């Protein structure tokens, strides 16, 4: 039950991050999902934390993602374009 609550709470931030990636990188929703998932795996960071970093960084004065997540996102986005 707790896992379900956590999944429901995480969903909005993941959807926001997908929207940010779609807008900034002209990718589909599925491609954005794969980028988030791959960045999570590459950085050994929870998917929700990666999504929160992407969403927070979308604000004009928002902080950039931490270095490990930033590198993982760059790698995942690079693979998307191949």
């Amino acid at each position: 039950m707790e896992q379900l609550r956590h999944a429901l709470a995480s969903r909005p931030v993941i959807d926001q991050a997908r929207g940010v990636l779609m807008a900034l990188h002209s990718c589909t929703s599925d491609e954005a999902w794969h980028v988030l998932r791959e960045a999570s795996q590459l950085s050994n960071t929870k998917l929700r934390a990666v999504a929160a970093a992407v969403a927070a960084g979308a604000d004009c004065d928002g902080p950039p993602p931490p270095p490990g997540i930033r590198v993982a996102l760059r790698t995942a986005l690079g693979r998307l374009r191949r």
Side-chain angles (χ1 to χ4, degrees), residues 2-72:
E2 184 62 31
Q3 188 175 4
L4 177 60
R5 276 192 219 121
H6 184 67
L8 290 173
S10 298
R11 187 70 188 189
V13 73
I14 292 169
D15 287 342
Q16 288 174 352
R18 286 170 80 174
V20 168
L21 291 173
M22 290 166 58
L24 294 178
H25 299 284
S26 300
C27 61
T28 67
S29 179
D30 283 343
E31 289 171 332
W33 168 255
H34 289 293
V35 167
L36 288 172
R37 193 180 69 193
E38 184 173 355
S40 170
Q41 292 171 348
L42 290 171
S43 65
N44 197 28
T45 306
K46 297 267 186 200
L47 180 66
R48 185 187 188 295
V50 172
V54 169
D59 284 337
C60 294
D61 57 348
I69 293 175
R70 202 170 31 229
V71 168

